[in-house]
Amino acid sequence: MMIPDFQTLPKNGRLAKKDLIIEVELNGKMKFDHLLHVIYQQTGICYKVLSVNVEYMNGANFGSFQLHIKASEEESQELEFFLNKHKLMNTTVDYTCRKYS
């Protein structure tokens, strides 16, 4: 069990979520739409699709796509484990959006 760092906990006691951009390479073993469905259903992570470059050949999906997600450390690790389990190459980058007042 992971022990949270109390400096990252907000006042309501929940783990802080970070904005992340994840890029995934499809290898032909899983369909793009099915993968998005599984990400939402199994991990509960909501996402925004940023870019998609997918080609369909004989029912197989090849290419890459980028998602913008807001997830806790535990949720992002669960997603990374799922993608690695299905041999989908992935890269995650912390994304910080500058807010102007």
Side-chain angles (χ1 to χ4, degrees), residues 22-32 34-36 38-39 61-63 65 79-91:
I22 184 165
E23 183 169 352
V24 179
E25 295 279 333
L26 295 170
N27 58 9
K29 295 182 181 179
M30 187 175 281
K31 293 185 177 182
F32 172 67
H34 178 70
L35 179 59
L36 292 180
V38 170
I39 288 172
N61 296 189
F62 298 94
F65 63 93
L79 177 59
E80 185 177 357
F81 176 76
F82 171 79
L83 294 171
N84 290 337
K85 177 180 168 188
H86 291 283
K87 297 182 171 109
L88 296 168
M89 189 168 37
N90 61 85
T91 306

Side-chain angles (χ1 to χ4, degrees), residues 26-71:
L26 295 170
N27 58 9
K29 295 182 181 179
M30 187 175 281
K31 293 185 177 182
F32 172 67
D33 56 342
H34 178 70
L35 179 59
L36 292 180
H37 177 73
V38 170
I39 288 172
Y40 179 71
Q41 291 297 323
Q42 285 190 358
T43 63
I45 297 174
C46 295
Y47 55 83
K48 292 179 186 175
V49 178
L50 298 178
S51 69
V52 178
N53 182 16
V54 177
E55 295 182 22
Y56 303 94
M57 295 172 47
N58 299 328
N61 296 189
F62 298 94
S64 64
F65 63 93
Q66 290 182 342
L67 300 177
H68 175 231
I69 63 172
K70 189 168 203 152

